[in-house]
Amino acid sequence: MTKLSQGAIEALSNGSGGNDLVLQLTNIRKIEGGNGPPRFRVMMSDGHHTLSSFMLSTQLNYMAEENKLAPNCICILKRHVTNTLKDGRRVVIILEMDVIKSAEDVAGRIGDPTPYTDGQSKVSQAVPNPEPALPLQTQNRNEVNRGFTKDFGKKAPSALTSTPGGLSKVVPIASLNPYQSKWTIRARVSNKSNIRTWSNSRGNGKLFSMEIVDESGEIRVTGFNQEVDKFYSLIEVGKVYYISKCSMKMANKQFTSVKNDYEMTFNGESSVIPCEDSCDVPMVQCDFVSIGDLENRDKDAIIDIIGVCKSVDEVTRLTTKSSREVSKRTLNLMDMSGKLVTVTLWGEDAEKFDGSGQPIVAIKAAKLSDFGGRSLSASFSSTLMINPDIPEAHKLRAWFDRDGHVMEGQNLTVKGGSGGGNTNWKTLSDVKTEHLGHGEKADYYTCIATIVYLRKENCLYQACPSQECNKKVIDQQNGMFRCEKCDKEFPNFKYRLILSANIADYGDNQWVTCFQESAEAILGQNAAYLGQLKDSNEAAFDEVFQQANFNTYVFRSRVKLETYNDESRIKATVMEVKPVDHREYSKRLIMNIKKLAVQ
């Protein structure tokens, strides 16, 4: 018969009690939580007493929902925290628990336990035991973080003195819920947003948000208006603070990727106090995904990634639809899977990033895209870490310095080139048989094909000379050219190309449209020179097109079903043209042959 931890219920009811307690579950009841996740109330027994003030943390709900917790099963309580309600009652929040013997393997209830009452608690307190409240407070702060030991109570006084005066007991983030009244957490700021403003019919305002972490979990905190003025300049990323008296509510998963069912909001009573003793609080909590596993993840998934910066591009600047200029930089990350993925950094992260020395880069909450295979983007809510002091980074650095630096890697992101990687390689017959482009969104694919015909008629047009405008201009027959979009007349124009081409491989052919850059790559001449040839030397103009025929390239194309005049047809647009790298192409063919040989 399994031996239960005698006296555990009394110790837990008094706010003490250690870890690895063996208890019997005697009853479990579901409590609906309104719009939030349900909670499960549990009654436990140590063979002598029962206590019904146990509550599963939401991350353990699956144990109840999958019927792993049934009356009479034997459990080992690995981690917990005790919260005190406004009326003085204590609730034990179960943070980690394992079932060591199922209900079917237990012959009913062990012993003849009776409900533990407050009167018994007072009797037990009469036994000499100096300062019984101390284990409660040290447990709440440290039990989840470091694990409880037999002599841990000896360290309680120093732990208490490190808590600022007047604050409630320190509890782990994982135990927070809207039903608690007095609490304090000690956590590190892992990310802090810029101040954002809004203006609508109800007035103006401003806000900022931050993410904080301790060893039990993470949570998002938001401040509005006066709280922005009060706390924003005080809080620094990477520093540890005591935080208390915030409002708790259900998290809106639309605006956060933080793994917590709740979020906090600063209010007029909130307190933020710097903590000097912070070495035991983690920098950030990450659940890293291997780059090789990105192909199995859903589009728009929010993931944590770590890799070596294999290469980095120069920073570029883009203008958004709202005429705001933003900085952008792309880099390639590689990990021990031997795969690479392109990551896009934005704003200040893009400006400040230094890829020299091939640093280890970790990104928390990057967004996964299927544009061009697989790629990642670090948004304003992501956390970028360079050479973080974490075991995963040290392990990755050792691997790269020993073996990884000589590997080329397989890129999951399409670069428009002809190398390997998951570039959605297709034959032209695949494009038709798989009905690419018939969905709600356009499809992208890469193929190797040969140009068999170029339609030179109407391949050039006179366009607006403005840098940002490529619209066709109207010849005013007075030496001026009018652009309707810009609503201006210009004394000159620029030539632009729209080239219609028929490309073919061994299985099929397809008509494609090539715009300026891709058309110039195929013809080997720029649009301005071709325009001059067309006006002055028709034979030389024709020769350019003849020379371009029967050349083979790697085409990256976009296909989409479009309807015009009640007629639907597939429109294929070439996004990029590259010469064939026969070495890489041969490698890919050999890899495909090996795959076929296994089947």
Side-chain angles (χ1 to χ4, degrees), residues 203 304 340 416 443 464 519 555:
D304 304 336
L340 292 100
D443 288 315
C464 176
F555 295 89

Side-chain angles (χ1 to χ4, degrees), residues 81-145:
V81 62
T82 304
N83 292 334
T84 304
L85 304 182
K86 290 181 179 180
D87 59 5
R89 290 182 298 121
R90 290 191 173 103
V91 176
V92 180
I93 307 295
I94 302 172
L95 301 177
E96 185 178 352
M97 182 171 69
D98 289 337
V99 176
I100 58 176
K101 186 174 287 190
S102 64
E104 292 81 3
D105 298 330
V106 180
R109 184 174 295 191
I110 299 175
D112 187 19
T114 58
Y116 190 81
T117 63
D118 290 339
Q120 288 171 298
S121 176
K122 291 173 183 177
V123 172
S124 65
Q125 287 176 5
V127 180
N129 185 15
E131 298 188 1
L134 289 182
L136 166 66
Q137 297 188 3
T138 56
Q139 169 206 325
N140 285 321
R141 173 180 169 186
N142 298 292
E143 183 178 31
V144 171
N145 294 344

Side-chain angles (χ1 to χ4, degrees), residues 562-577:
E562 296 187 354
T563 303
Y564 183 71
N565 286 339
D566 296 326
E567 182 182 346
S568 296
R569 63 176 182 174
I570 284 288
K571 181 179 180 181
T573 304
V574 174
M575 308 301 293
E576 196 165 7
V577 177

Side-chain angles (χ1 to χ4, degrees), residues 20 25 78 85 111 228 239 292 299 337 352 386 398 408 435 462 473 492 506 522 551:
D20 298 331
L25 187 148
K78 290 190 170 183
L85 304 182
V228 175
K239 297 293 183 66
K299 174 182 177 293
S337 69
K352 293 183 176 180
I386 311 299
E408 291 186 19
H435 302 292
Q462 297 169 342
V473 295
N492 62 329
Y506 66 87
I522 289 171
N551 290 320

Side-chain angles (χ1 to χ4, degrees), residues 135-345:
L136 166 66
Q137 297 188 3
T138 56
Q139 169 206 325
N140 285 321
R141 173 180 169 186
N142 298 292
E143 183 178 31
V144 171
N145 294 344
R146 286 188 285 257
F148 191 93
T149 57
K150 293 292 184 181
D151 61 346
F152 194 75
K154 298 176 183 177
K155 299 179 182 179
S158 62
L160 283 175
T161 56
S162 65
T163 304
L167 293 184
S168 306
K169 61 182 181 293
V170 175
V171 301
I173 287 175
S175 71
L176 294 178
N177 63 71
Y179 313 108
Q180 293 172 263
S181 55
K182 297 179 181 180
W183 50 263
T184 299
I185 56 173
R186 188 178 70 126
R188 190 182 303 273
V189 178
S190 61
N191 189 23
K192 184 177 83 164
S193 74
N194 295 322
I195 296 175
R196 302 193 293 277
T197 59
W198 78 84
S199 178
N200 55 34
S201 59
R202 291 182 292 178
N204 303 322
K206 57 186 175 181
L207 67 91
F208 84 99
S209 62
M210 65 179 186
E211 295 165 15
I212 57 177
V213 60
D214 67 8
E215 286 198 7
S216 74
E218 58 185 350
I219 196 167
R220 183 173 186 251
V221 190
T222 304
F224 296 89
N225 300 324
Q226 291 93 339
E227 280 65 49
V228 175
D229 300 330
K230 183 177 179 181
F231 295 121
Y232 188 81
S233 58
L234 166 68
I235 294 168
E236 297 180 38
V237 175
K239 297 293 183 66
V240 176
Y241 300 88
Y242 291 102
I243 301 174
S244 62
K245 298 182 180 178
C246 296
S247 304
M248 298 286 299
K249 65 175 184 177
M250 293 302 303
N252 188 339
K253 295 299 183 180
Q254 183 180 354
F255 302 110
T256 177
S257 60
V258 174
K259 297 177 179 66
N260 199 312
D261 292 324
Y262 304 107
E263 60 185 13
M264 297 162 52
T265 304
F266 286 129
N267 57 49
E269 297 183 352
S270 298
S271 170
V272 178
I273 300 175
C275 173
E276 301 301 328
D277 181 19
S278 61
C279 59
D280 59 337
V281 181
M283 290 297 297
V284 68
Q285 278 205 345
C286 293
D287 183 15
F288 292 119
V289 174
S290 168
I291 294 175
D293 193 38
L294 294 182
E295 295 170 288
N296 302 322
R297 298 298 175 117
D298 294 333
K299 174 182 177 293
D300 296 329
I302 304 299
I303 63 169
D304 304 336
I305 199 82
I306 187 170
V308 181
C309 180
K310 188 82 169 173
S311 62
V312 59
D313 295 335
E314 293 297 322
V315 67
T316 58
R317 287 173 176 80
L318 305 176
T319 302
T320 65
K321 293 180 180 179
S322 58
S323 300
R324 186 171 59 92
E325 191 177 76
V326 294
S327 300
K328 172 187 174 184
R329 188 193 297 269
T330 58
L331 52 111
N332 284 321
L333 294 186
M334 179 181 183
D335 67 7
M336 287 185 282
S337 69
K339 304 290 181 66
L340 292 100
V341 67
T342 296
V343 180
T344 302
L345 305 181

